[in-house]
């Protein structure tokens, strides 16, 4: 690596901070005995080459529908397997990967480093990664910041560079936006050795909104849109020099957004998203001007003197090609394959784990697997599917799985353990609907009916508002539904055997004996109850003091055995969002702050090692616990199942 320009005195600091791994599976250890429930190939990926250098490839992989799951950022060092890194790393130059705010990662290391704030890189709004180079980056005051595993330092200075002008840089110089026209941009080159001299880069008359600029030594490339098209469908790829030599212009029937210099050749990639379905392709232009095209690829980079492109079909991944085109030789660098689904909900009980994910044809489908305990650990049976379901959490119990079918049906069903199905409630009009939650216990199914109270209308039509909720219990033995009574909109309710417990408008907890209809008070009015659960005669609940972002602040966890005269056992906690009772333990999730990621814990009242952390969770912390086991959605949105700690 060569460094150009005078080395100035001046030292900055780099602080080794947290692991550069993302919040997904990487770096997150599951508890002993954990099995992954639905890590199955299901979703077609979208792969993007973010950047490449002789040292490796930086890429992203996620589902084609951005809302269907996580997009993960990967770093593939030369000759070594790819590993997951934090999603905000966005540029690879030389042997370093860069993230905003002066953060960087040296390839081969897992500890990210950070320079002092006054050494942070410029971040041009038109070209956010233009300041990064193989030695580090360009900072304010014309300073060149050199970074390494040893830290950060000022390696040279030059004239002040306005971030609104900077378009590209490398270890020899940089390209600035010249002229006064915001549409027709004059490009000028400055070397670090002679920064005061501006060299006008020849553009062949194709300088309208230059996109995807690449700078490699004395070579520069970019794409310019056709000026006669109101909506661009065509681009011109320009290959020029930083020495003032002539430009070579090639017309490409594509909206090119990326160019990549590879010796005498020039790579390009883009998508025409003005048509009904995106038409994407990548390709290369030889030194003699021959254009080749690889259909369906969307991105391109250069690694080890070969182009790197995203490819799909039977084996999605990244391939290296000397010339990019359909039917031309290629070498596999990374196999991405189909991605696991995004999990949405999970329910546990009766020897099965049921879960909602996006393996179905609509947004979510219901799957189920049998759980068998063996001397070697938990063993899962084959996956069975009930098909698409409504966005209401399913209930799993010894009788089977209860779920609601999607609209326009909206019927409530019981999917029995033997695979047969029984309709529990037929939604025959818009006067009412099943709103959840659902809970199975023995021969009873608890569900909530919502009665139509109003309508919300707009240009799209009218939607019913169902704010009058009624507790319903279905008896599997007789096939009858019984209305138990009203339930407040924010009330909590749970069922176990003959006991049904729920809160009222003053946050009292009431117990109802389903055999006799007798109602008794378990807790007087007080702080709001955030979550409530019941297993046998043991009730567990959490109170909630709302914090400044709408979550729970100070929390009290309470466990009480209703079959004895013993006083409730309490424990202070913070940020508790949900609780479940299983095998005498209280399993609960916490969310410390908005966007911080949830955690799953278990509390055994009276134990010297009272609270243990099970692990991190996705989103707001969706989980269930039953039969001495916990099932939860991990930060990678895959369902996990594990025995509770002994």
């Amino acid at each position: 690596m060569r460094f150009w320009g005078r080395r100035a005195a001046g030292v900055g600091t780099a602080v080794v901070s947290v692991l550069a791994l993302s919040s997904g599976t990487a770096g997150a250890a599951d508890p002993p005995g954990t099995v992954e429930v639905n890590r199955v190939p299901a979703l077609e990926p979208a792969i993007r080459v973010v950047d490449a250098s002789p040292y490796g490839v930086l890429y992203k992989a996620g589902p084609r529908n951005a809302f269907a799951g996580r997009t993960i950022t990967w770093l593939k060092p030369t000759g070594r397997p790819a590993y997951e890194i934090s999603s905000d790393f966005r540029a690879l130059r030389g042997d370093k990967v860069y993230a905003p705010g002066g953060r960087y990662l040296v390839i081969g290391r897992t500890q990210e480093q950070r320079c002092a704030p006054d050494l942070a890189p410029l971040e041009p709004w038109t070209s956010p990664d233009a300041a990064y180079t193989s030695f580090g980056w360009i900072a304010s005051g014309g300073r060149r910041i050199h970074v390494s595993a040893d830290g950060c330092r000022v390696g040279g200075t030059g004239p002040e560079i306005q971030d609104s002008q900077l378009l590209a840089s490398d270890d020899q110089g940089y390209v600035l936006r010249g002229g006064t026209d915001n549409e027709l941009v004059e490009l000028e080159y400055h070397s670090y050795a002679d920064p005061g001299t501006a060299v006008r880069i020849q553009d062949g008359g194709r300088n309208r909104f230059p996109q995807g600029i690449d700078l490699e030594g004395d070579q520069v490339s970019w794409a310019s849109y056709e000026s006669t098209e109101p909506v661009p469908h065509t681009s011109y790829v320009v290959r020029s020099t930083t020495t003032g030599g002539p430009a070579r212009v090639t017309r490409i029937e594509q909206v090119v957004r990326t160019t990549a210099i590879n010796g005498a050749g020039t790579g390009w990639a883009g998508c025409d998203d003005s048509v009904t379905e995106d038409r994407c392709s990548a390709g290369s232009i030889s030194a003699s001007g021959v254009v080749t095209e690889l259909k369906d690829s969307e991105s391109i980079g250069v690694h080890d003197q070969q182009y790197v492109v995203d490819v799909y079909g039977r084996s999605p991944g990244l391939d290296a090609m000397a010339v990019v085109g359909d039917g031309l030789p290629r070498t596999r660098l990374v196999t991405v394959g189909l991605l696991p689904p995004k999990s949405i909900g999970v329910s546990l009980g009766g020897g099965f784990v049921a879960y909602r994910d996006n393996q179905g044809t609509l947004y979510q489908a219901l799957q189920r697997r049998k759980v068998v305990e063996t001397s070697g650990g938990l063993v899962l049976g084959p996956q069975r599917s009930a098909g698409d379901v409504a966005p209401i959490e399913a209930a799993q119990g010894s009788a089977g799985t209860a779920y609601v079918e999607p609209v326009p049906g909206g019927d409530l069903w019981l999917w029995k353990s033997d695979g047969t199905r029984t309709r529990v409630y037929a939604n025959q009009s818009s006067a009412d609907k099943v709103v959840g939650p659902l809970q199975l216990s023995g021969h009873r199914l608890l569900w909530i009916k919502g009665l139509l109270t109003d309508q919300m209308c707009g240009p799209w039509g009218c939607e019913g508002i169902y704010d009058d909720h009624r507790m319903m219990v279905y008896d599997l033995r007789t096939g009858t539904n019984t209305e138990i009574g009203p339930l407040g909109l924010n009330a909590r309710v749970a069922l176990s055997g003959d006991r049904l417990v729920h809160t009222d408008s003053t946050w009292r907890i009431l117990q109802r004996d389903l055999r006799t209809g007798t109602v008794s008070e378990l807790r007087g009015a007080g702080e709001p109850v955030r979550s409530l659960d019941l297993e046998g005669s043991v009730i567990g609940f959490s109170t909630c003091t709302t914090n400044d972002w709408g979550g729970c602040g100070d929390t009290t966890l309470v466990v009480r055995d209703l079959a004895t005269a013993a006083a409730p056992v309490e424990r202070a906690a913070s940020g508790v969002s949900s609780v479940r009772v299983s095998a005498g333990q209280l399993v609960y999730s916490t969310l410390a702050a908005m966007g911080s990621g949830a955690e799953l814990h278990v509390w055994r009242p009276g134990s010297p090692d009272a609270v243990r952390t099970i692990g991190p969770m996705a989103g707001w912390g969706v989980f269930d616990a039953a039969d001495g086991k916990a099932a939860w959605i991990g930060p990678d949105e895959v369902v996990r199942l594990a025995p509770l700690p002994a």
Side-chain angles (χ1 to χ4, degrees):
M1 185 187 303
R2 294 179 295 170
F3 297 96
W4 296 76
R6 181 173 60 87
R7 181 169 295 177
V11 177
T13 60
V15 179
V16 175
S17 59
V18 298
L19 285 173
L21 304 171
S22 83
S23 60
T25 54
D30 291 323
T34 299
V35 293
E36 292 179 330
V37 175
N38 62 336
R39 188 179 293 281
V40 295
L43 306 179
E44 183 182 357
I47 310 165
R48 181 167 67 90
V49 179
V50 177
D51 217 338
S53 82
Y55 292 85
V57 180
L58 180 68
Y59 67 98
K60 290 180 179 289
R64 289 205 163 270
N65 180 348
F67 299 101
R70 298 171 59 240
T71 295
I72 301 174
T73 301
W74 299 88
L75 178 60
K76 168 69 173 69
T78 301
R80 286 183 287 173
Y83 59 95
E84 183 182 343
I85 63 175
S86 181
S87 61
D88 57 353
F89 280 96
R90 66 190 194 191
L92 169 59
R93 305 285 193 271
D95 65 341
K96 290 174 282 292
V97 192
Y98 300 107
R103 294 165 45 225
Y104 64 97
L105 176 67
V106 178
I107 288 182
R109 296 169 62 93
T110 55
Q111 294 282 354
E112 73 172 46
Q113 296 173 265
R114 184 193 300 268
C115 295
D118 65 313
L119 302 181
L122 297 176
E123 294 198 8
W125 64 272
T126 55
S127 306
D129 306 328
Y132 296 114
T133 73
S134 60
F135 62 73
W137 56 74
I138 298 173
S140 61
R143 296 172 298 165
R144 299 190 294 280
I145 308 303
H146 290 203
V147 303
S148 68
D150 297 326
C152 316
R153 62 183 177 83
V154 179
T157 58
E160 177 77 31
I161 299 173
Q162 299 297 322
D163 56 7
S164 60
Q165 291 183 291
L166 185 61
L167 296 176
S169 62
D170 69 357
D171 60 356
Q172 299 182 34
Y174 50 92
V175 176
L176 297 182
R177 174 191 297 267
T180 58
D181 195 319
N182 289 328
E183 180 176 341
L184 302 177
V185 179
E186 297 179 4
L187 304 181
E188 57 183 45
Y189 176 76
H190 298 256
S191 69
Y192 301 131
D194 186 14
T197 300
V199 179
R200 171 69 190 277
I201 297 174
Q202 299 301 308
D203 54 36
R206 298 298 176 183
N207 61 347
R208 181 177 184 241
F209 297 126
Q211 303 286 319
I213 300 176
D214 191 23
L215 175 63
E216 296 289 337
D218 64 354
Q219 299 293 306
V220 61
S221 64
W222 68 89
S224 176
Y225 297 152
E226 171 59 71
S227 60
T228 61
E229 296 178 339
V231 178
H233 297 280
T234 303
S235 300
Y236 291 90
V237 173
V238 183
R239 177 70 178 262
S240 192
T241 74
T242 63
T243 58
R248 185 176 74 237
V249 178
T250 305
R251 180 185 173 97
I252 302 293
E253 299 299 324
Q254 182 60 277
V255 182
V256 175
R257 295 189 174 92
T258 305
T259 68
I261 295 171
N262 185 17
T266 309
W268 56 268
C271 294
D272 185 353
D273 52 13
S274 64
V275 295
T276 302
E277 294 185 5
D278 290 355
R279 180 177 63 86
C280 300
S281 60
S284 58
I285 306 167
S286 70
S288 61
V290 176
V291 178
T292 51
E293 182 179 19
L294 180 65
K295 294 180 178 61
D296 297 327
S297 294
E298 303 177 18
S299 57
I300 195 167
V302 174
H303 165 68
D304 199 21
Q305 300 181 337
Q306 288 198 311
Y307 298 106
V308 180
V309 291
D310 53 311
V311 295
Y312 300 94
R314 293 184 177 180
S315 181
L318 297 178
D319 284 353
M321 306 181 75
V323 179
V324 180
D326 290 322
L328 297 178
R330 61 181 68 180
T331 301
R332 176 49 52 104
L333 286 181
V334 175
T335 297
V336 174
L338 297 179
L339 304 177
K342 175 182 179 178
S343 304
I344 304 159
V346 62
S347 184
L348 186 62
F352 286 85
V353 55
Y355 46 96
R356 291 177 296 133
D357 60 23
N358 58 352
Q359 293 184 60
T361 57
L362 296 179
Y363 178 68
Q364 53 189 279
L366 177 64
Q367 330 290 343
R368 186 173 70 187
R369 300 183 73 174
K370 188 174 180 59
V371 181
V372 179
E373 298 184 49
T374 71
S375 58
L378 300 178
V379 176
L380 299 176
Q383 176 178 279
R384 309 297 184 193
S385 180
D388 298 322
V389 295
I392 295 174
E393 189 61 79
Q396 179 62 48
S398 58
T401 312
Y403 68 92
V404 179
E405 68 181 15
V407 293
D411 291 355
L412 175 60
W413 290 85
L414 178 64
W415 181 22
K416 297 180 181 179
S417 302
D418 61 6
T420 60
R421 307 188 197 200
T422 298
R423 194 190 310 267
V424 172
Y425 181 73
N427 188 12
Q428 297 179 345
S429 74
S430 60
D432 58 69
K433 72 174 187 177
V434 183
V435 296
L438 312 177
Q439 189 173 356
L440 277 163
S441 179
H443 61 274
R444 292 188 176 97
L445 167 62
L446 169 68
W447 60 281
I448 308 301
K449 178 192 290 187
L451 303 182
L452 182 68
T453 56
D454 201 350
Q455 287 189 326
M456 179 175 62
C457 297
W460 61 87
C462 293
E463 292 185 16
I465 298 175
Y466 297 84
D467 282 352
D468 184 356
H469 290 182
R470 306 299 174 93
M471 294 180 287
M472 306 292 297
V473 170
Y474 175 77
D475 191 319
L476 280 67
R477 299 171 303 180
T478 62
T480 57
N481 280 297
T482 302
E483 181 176 323
I484 303 303
L487 185 72
L489 285 179
N490 297 313
R492 316 303 178 193
V493 60
L495 169 71
S496 182
D498 298 323
R499 288 188 175 92
L500 187 149
V501 295
H502 65 93
T503 59
D504 67 5
S505 60
T506 64
W507 297 111
R508 292 188 305 161
I509 298 178
L510 305 177
Q511 175 183 226
R512 181 185 295 267
D513 188 324
L514 295 178
R515 295 170 303 176
T516 64
T518 303
V519 177
S520 58
E521 183 180 277
L522 300 178
R523 173 189 183 258
E527 291 183 333
V529 175
R530 179 59 180 261
S531 185
L532 173 72
D533 194 32
L534 183 65
E535 184 189 58
S537 62
V538 179
I539 184 175
F541 64 92
S542 63
T543 63
C544 175
T545 301
T546 305
N547 58 24
D548 55 3
W549 56 271
C552 278
D554 295 335
T555 301
T556 300
L557 298 174
V558 181
V559 173
R560 177 184 172 188
D561 190 343
L562 303 178
T564 72
V569 182
E570 298 184 357
R571 180 181 181 86
S574 179
V576 174
S577 53
S578 189
V579 302
R580 295 289 187 274
V581 179
S582 179
Q585 303 182 76
L586 188 71
V587 185
Y588 63 97
S589 59
T590 59
L591 189 66
M594 180 71 75
S596 65
E599 282 191 326
L600 188 62
H601 312 270
V602 57
W603 169 38
R604 182 188 292 275
S607 169
D609 188 15
V611 175
R612 296 186 184 182
T613 298
I614 294 175
M617 309 170 71
W620 293 90
V622 176
F623 76 98
D624 197 11
D627 306 327
K629 293 179 282 291
W632 71 99
I633 300 176
D636 56 358
E637 297 176 335
V638 170
V639 174
R640 287 162 167 76
L641 175 67
L644 293 176

